[in-house]
Amino acid sequence: MAARHTASLLAGLLVLLHTWGAWAAVEVNMKDKVEVYLGETAQITCMYTSEDGIGGTIIKWFYVTRSGGEQEIYHYDSIKRDATKNTPYSNRISVNVTVGEVVLTISDVQVEDNVEFICLVKGLTEDMKGKTKLRVFAKPKPPTIRGAQTGISVNEADLSLIGTCEVKNGYPKPNITWYKNNNPLRSTPNVVDVKSSVTQSSGLYLVSSELKLKVEKEDKNALFYCEATYFVPGIAKMMETPPINITVLYPSTAVNIWVESPKGKIKEGDSVELHCRGNGNSPSMFSIRHTKSEAGWDVDTLVLENVTRLHSGTYQCTQTDMDTFEELSDNTTVFINYLDPVVLTPSEAVGDHGKDITITCNALSSLPTETTWFKNGQKVGKGHSLTLKDATFDSAGTYVCMVSVPEIKGMETSSSLRVHVKGPPEIKEEALNEIETFEKTVDLSCHVRGYPTPRITWSTSDGKLIKAASETETEVGAKSVVSVPVDSDSSVFCNASNELGTDGVTFNIKAKIPIHTTTPATTTTTIPKAPVKTETPTTSKKTKTESKGVIIAVIIICILLLAILGSVLYFLYKKGKICNRSGKQDITREKSSRDNIVVEMKSDNTEEAILLGVNGDKQPPGDQ
Ligand SMILES: *[C@@H]1O[C@H](CO)[C@@H](O)[C@H](O)[C@H]1NC(C)=O
Ligand SMILES: *[C@@H]1O[C@H](CO)[C@@H](O)[C@H](O)[C@H]1NC(C)=O
Ligand SMILES: *[C@@H]1O[C@H](CO)[C@@H](O)[C@H](O)[C@H]1NC(C)=O
Ligand SMILES: *[C@@H]1O[C@H](CO)[C@@H](O)[C@H](O)[C@H]1NC(C)=O
Ligand SMILES: *[C@@H]1O[C@H](CO)[C@@H](O)[C@H](O)[C@H]1NC(C)=O
Ligand SMILES: *[C@@H]1O[C@H](CO)[C@@H](O)[C@H](O)[C@H]1NC(C)=O
C-alpha cells in the first residue's frame, strides 16, 4: 500500500516537471463543463497563452465521438479559418479568436452535443490541449399517473398493479419515485415491486414506472402518487403527480339484516323493506329467507308489499363470498301486528222499555286496544261493552263501536248496530192541532216512535183514507206526510199502530178567507204572514193615472161626437156610457180576480208553519 502511494507521488512529480518545462511555450485553460438547455446557444471558452504570438499559432477544435475518437470541427491559422466540412457542426459553430482567448459558439444545441469538446493550441515547438464537457438539459413534461381501474382483492395471491407513472421528454434521464401516503416506496420482495422502463425518442427520455403491491384492507384509504426528479443546469428538481386511490375489495367479517322501514311497530297492510349488508365489499351473493315460507331471493334488499300476519317470523340473510365461498349469516324477527274486524253482539239489539240493554263489541288484535262508542257522532261510552240503562225510545238508534290500537297511529276499525226499544206507537205531534191557512192545500206530517215499526194511516173525519205522500222509516220508528186539500174547515186523523198498541192525532184545519182584497198580489211566497199589499203600491198608482188620462180623452171625444152628431142623441148617449164604464170595470175585475191567490204562509215549509201555529215556539222537524 505504502509502496503504491510512493509510486503515484513520483509519477505526479514527473508530470509537474514536464509542465514546468513547457510553461514557457503554450498554456491552455478551460472549464470542466458548460451547461445549457436544449435548443439554446452554448459558448465554450478556451484560454491560452503562447510565446509565439497569434500569428504563429494554430488552433483546432475537436469533439469526442461516441467511440472515443476525436473529430476535428474547426481549424484556425493565419491563412485558413473555418469549420470542417461534413461534420454535425459544419453549419452550427462559429469561433472568435482574440488574444489569449478562443470562444467556440454552438447554436441550437442538440442532445447529441452532450459530448466533450477539445481545444488544441499549436505553437512552433509545442502544442497543448484543453477539454470541456458540454452538458445538455431538457426539462421533462409534468409526470402523469394512471391508477388501476378495477377493484383489487386482498385475496390476490400475487402482487397487484396499483398504477403506472410516466415522465416524457426529459434529458438527461429523469427518475420516478412512488409514494404511498407520502412515504417513498422501494422494491421489497413479496410486498412492493417498482419496475421502470426507459425509452428514447429523438434523444429525449421517456421513463415509465409500474407499481405493484400486496394489497391490504387498509390500502382502501391510501393515496398514491409519483414524483419525477430531473436535472436542470446546476440543480436537481422534482415534480409530483396528483394522488390517486384504489378500490380495495375485501370480504365481509360480519353481515347484518334489519327492517329498514317502517320504523317501529309494523301493522298489516304496511310495506316492509328488509336490508341485508355485509361490512366488506368483495363480490358476494346475498339471499334472504323467511324461515316459515322458505322463500329465497338473490337480493340484499327485500320489499314485502301489503304484509299480513303470515309474514311474521324470522328472516335470515346469508352472504356468500364469490372468491372464498365463505358464508356469513344473520337473522331478524319480524312481527306483523293485526286488528281483526269488529264483531258486535247482538248484531241487532231489541230491548224492552224500562229494561237494560247491553251491547258488546270485540276486535281481536295483537296489541292492546281501546274501544269507544258513538251515537249520532257523539261519544257515548268507552270499553268493549255498553249498557243502556232503563231503555226508552231515546236509547234507540244507531251505535258505532270503534276499536283502535293506541300504539300504532291509524290502526283502527269500526262497525255499527241498530238498537230498537220495544213499545207501542207514540206520535210526536200534539193532539187537536189547529191549523189556519190561506193555502189551497196543506202538508201534514206525523212522526211516530215505537218498535216494531208502526204502520201509519191517514183518514178524514168522514172515514176516507188519505194516501200518504211519503212514508219513511226512521231510527226510532216511522214518519209519514200527506198533502190535504183545503176546501172548508175539516179534520184529518193520523193513526199509528203496531202489535203493542195504537196512537192517534187529529189535525183541525180552518180555511181562512183573505182580508186584503184591494191589492193585486203578484208575488205570493216571499214574506210569510205579511200582507202583500205593501209590496206593490207604485204599480197600482201608475195604473190609476193612466186610466184618468184615458177617461179625459174619451170624454172629450164624446162631447165632440155629441156636438157634431146631435141628431142621433140616444144612440150616441148610449155609446158614451159604455166607454166610461168599460174603463172602470177593467180595474175592479183585475182586483177581484186576484183575490183568490193571496197567501200568507210559506208554501214550501208547511210543516214548520204548522208547528209554529200549534206550539208557538219553533222546533226543527228533524229533532225528535
Ligand atoms: C470576439 O470577441 C471579442 C471580445 O470578447 C468581442 O469584442 C467581439 O465582438 C467578438 N466577435 C464576434 C464576431 O463575436
Ligand atoms: C436517478 O437515479 C440514479 C440512480 O439512483 C441516480 O444516479 C441519478 O442521479 C438519479 N437522477 C436524478 C435526476 O435524480
Ligand atoms: C377516492 O375514492 C373515492 C371513491 O372511490 C372518491 O370519492 C375520492 O374522491 C377518491 N379520492 C381521491 C383523492 O382520488
Ligand atoms: C292487501 O291484502 C289484503 C289481504 O290480502 C287485500 O284484501 C287488499 O286488497 C290488499 N291491498 C292492496 C293495496 O294490495
Ligand atoms: C338467529 O340468530 C341467532 C343468533 O344470531 C341464533 O341463535 C339463532 O339460531 C338464529 N335463528 C335462526 C332461525 O337462524
Ligand atoms: C184515529 O184516531 C182518532 C183520534 O185520535 C180516533 O178517534 C179514531 O178512532 C182513530 N181511528 C182508527 C181507525 O183507529
Side-chain angles (χ1 to χ4, degrees):
M1 192 73 185
R4 218 172 124 185
H5 233 104
T6 334
S8 56
L9 213 69
L10 268 169
L13 211 65
L14 275 171
V15 170
L16 201 68
L17 278 172
H18 178 81
T19 321
W20 192 259
W23 171 255
V26 182
E27 175 86 5
V28 171
N29 205 350
M30 286 177 84
K31 278 188 195 162
D32 281 349
K33 62 181 180 192
V34 165
E35 296 185 322
V36 68
Y37 278 111
L38 189 73
E40 291 186 343
T41 299
Q43 284 193 321
I44 300 169
T45 308
C46 173
M47 315 276 278
Y48 72 96
T49 51
S50 174
E51 284 185 338
D52 305 318
I54 194 125
T57 307
I58 298 169
I59 298 167
K60 285 186 177 187
W61 283 94
F62 301 87
Y63 78 94
V64 180
T65 62
R66 207 170 280 180
S67 55
E70 292 174 6
Q71 163 77 49
E72 188 190 284
I73 52 168
Y74 196 88
H75 177 96
Y76 175 98
D77 61 27
S78 47
I79 309 148
K80 180 172 173 276
R81 304 165 178 189
D82 53 24
T84 316
K85 299 253 183 309
N86 300 324
T87 75
Y89 298 97
S90 304
N91 304 315
R92 284 199 289 132
I93 52 169
S94 66
V95 173
N96 185 2
V97 181
T98 51
V99 180
E101 191 184 84
V102 189
V103 178
L104 169 68
T105 303
I106 310 166
S107 61
D108 188 19
V109 168
Q110 301 297 299
V111 169
E112 292 74 25
D113 303 344
N114 196 63
V115 291
E116 255 183 333
F117 288 87
I118 297 166
C119 168
L120 175 73
V121 180
K122 253 185 155 107
L124 291 175
T125 54
E126 249 187 324
D127 39 349
M128 203 64 206
K129 269 186 188 171
K131 285 182 181 178
T132 291
K133 212 168 192 144
L134 180 63
R135 289 188 168 237
V136 181
F137 295 89
K139 185 186 166 192
K141 292 240 167 73
T144 56
I145 191 165
R146 204 157 45 82
Q149 293 303 297
T150 53
I152 302 165
S153 171
V154 295
N155 290 324
E156 216 60 64
D158 298 326
L159 302 187
S160 311
L161 179 68
I162 304 299
T164 309
C165 262
E166 212 175 70
V167 60
K168 267 190 195 172
N169 297 349
Y171 195 93
K173 182 179 84 69
N175 286 348
I176 288 177
T177 313
W178 280 92
Y179 287 81
K180 171 175 144 183
N181 298 331
N182 300 325
N183 299 318
L185 291 169
R186 271 171 244 293
S187 288
T188 316
N190 300 321
V191 182
V192 183
D193 181 30
V194 179
K195 256 201 192 75
S196 286
S197 65
V198 181
T199 49
Q200 249 181 311
S201 111
S202 25
L204 298 176
Y205 289 101
L206 182 153
V207 181
S208 151
S209 177
E210 260 184 15
L211 172 66
K212 284 183 176 174
L213 270 193
K214 182 87 187 77
V215 172
E216 285 173 2
K217 189 178 164 183
E218 291 69 47
D219 293 332
K220 70 190 164 90
N221 299 319
L223 289 177
F224 296 91
Y225 71 90
C226 300
E227 180 189 85
T229 45
Y230 59 95
F231 288 115
V232 292
I235 194 168
K237 286 195 164 184
M238 57 102 164
M239 289 187 280
E240 282 174 2
T241 64
I244 55 159
N245 61 10
I246 54 169
T247 308
V248 179
L249 302 177
Y250 49 93
S252 295
T253 55
V255 67
N256 216 280
I257 183 169
W258 70 93
V259 176
E260 178 66 19
S261 74
K263 298 290 180 203
K265 289 201 159 68
I266 306 165
K267 63 176 187 296
E268 283 190 323
D270 282 352
S271 246
V272 176
E273 197 172 317
L274 285 160
H275 280 196
C276 180
R277 301 282 184 272
N279 61 357
N281 67 354
S282 60
S284 46
M285 211 181 77
F286 288 88
S287 73
I288 301 174
R289 286 153 156 272
H290 184 205
T291 41
K292 277 184 199 160
S293 69
E294 288 298 332
W297 301 270
D298 286 345
V299 288
D300 60 0
T301 298
L302 176 65
V303 180
L304 305 165
E305 305 276 8
N306 191 17
V307 290
T308 68
R309 65 199 75 180
L310 298 176
H311 288 96
S312 293
T314 305
Y315 285 81
Q316 183 179 46
C317 171
T318 305
Q319 183 185 18
T320 310
D321 192 283
M322 302 294 262
D323 285 343
T324 61
F325 295 103
E326 268 173 33
E327 282 193 354
L328 291 165
S329 61
D330 184 33
N331 65 49
T332 187
T333 302
V334 173
F335 188 78
I336 316 293
N337 288 291
Y338 54 88
L339 175 62
D340 280 347
V342 166
V343 177
L344 277 160
T345 42
S347 56
E348 181 138 341
V350 179
D352 288 320
H353 228 281
K355 298 251 176 73
D356 290 356
I357 305 170
T358 300
I359 48 178
T360 60
C361 164
N362 281 298
L364 201 62
S365 175
S366 54
L367 288 169
T369 56
E370 264 179 19
T371 307
T372 317
W373 295 88
F374 295 92
K375 190 190 179 199
N376 297 331
Q378 302 273 306
K379 193 170 144 184
V380 293
K382 264 183 139 357
H384 77 281
S385 126
L386 180 74
T387 302
L388 309 169
K389 289 212 179 296
D390 291 335
T392 63
F393 283 144
D394 289 332
S395 317
T398 302
Y399 287 79
V400 175
C401 161
M402 196 178 87
V403 178
S404 62
V405 176
E407 278 175 76
I408 302 179
K409 208 173 164 258
M411 196 179 184
E412 58 185 38
T413 178
S414 65
S415 186
S416 66
L417 95 162
R418 286 272 291 275
V419 170
H420 303 289
V421 175
K422 273 195 209 162
E426 224 180 77
I427 297 177
K428 191 178 188 269
E429 282 76 15
E430 266 176 47
L432 292 169
N433 291 280
E434 283 273 328
I435 299 157
E436 293 185 7
T437 184
F438 299 116
E439 296 277 6
K440 284 180 171 167
T441 64
V442 286
D443 285 349
L444 303 173
S445 61
C446 213
H447 292 78
V448 187
R449 302 205 287 184
Y451 190 83
T453 309
R455 211 170 56 84
I456 301 171
T457 50
W458 293 89
S459 52
T460 56
S461 39
D462 53 6
K464 264 197 235 157
L465 286 179
I466 308 168
K467 202 177 176 301
S470 80
E471 261 179 282
T472 46
E473 200 169 306
T474 64
E475 292 258 288
V476 292
K479 176 193 170 188
S480 182
V481 178
V482 284
S483 198
V484 185
V486 185
D487 308 327
S488 56
D489 295 359
S490 62
S491 291
V492 174
F493 303 116
C494 166
N495 293 61
S497 70
N498 65 10
E499 56 221 51
L500 299 173
T502 57
D503 193 11
V505 69
T506 311
F507 293 93
N508 293 317
I509 303 161
K510 279 198 169 164
K512 266 193 122 182
I513 310 299
I515 324 156
H516 318 288
T517 51
T518 52
T519 316
T522 44
T523 49
T524 58
T525 56
T526 43
I527 303 164
K529 283 186 177 173
V532 192
K533 184 176 91 180
T534 54
E535 273 199 303
T536 50
T538 44
T539 335
S540 52
K541 237 184 192 173
K542 209 174 172 185
T543 324
K544 274 179 185 168
T545 46
E546 263 175 26
S547 307
K548 270 179 191 168
V550 173
I551 293 164
I552 290 163
V554 169
I555 290 169
I556 291 165
I557 291 166
C558 289
I559 292 165
L560 278 170
L561 285 170
L562 276 167
I564 295 164
L565 305 159
S567 57
V568 269
L569 250 173
Y570 179 68
F571 180 70
L572 285 173
Y573 168 72
K574 203 178 171 186
K575 203 174 185 179
K577 205 178 173 185
I578 290 163
C579 288
N580 239 336
R581 267 164 65 177
S582 71
K584 273 179 188 169
Q585 272 179 356
D586 270 354
I587 306 158
T588 42
R589 193 180 293 159
E590 195 188 1
K591 281 177 194 162
S592 56
S593 70
R594 297 218 177 148
D595 284 346
N596 298 343
I597 325 167
V598 173
V599 164
E600 284 199 340
M601 289 187 120
K602 246 190 200 175
S603 67
D604 59 347
N605 204 350
T606 329
E607 193 188 322
E608 194 180 323
I610 292 160
L611 291 170
L612 261 168
V614 175
N615 300 335
D617 59 348
K618 204 173 171 183
Q619 276 180 300
D623 185 31
Q624 314 169 357

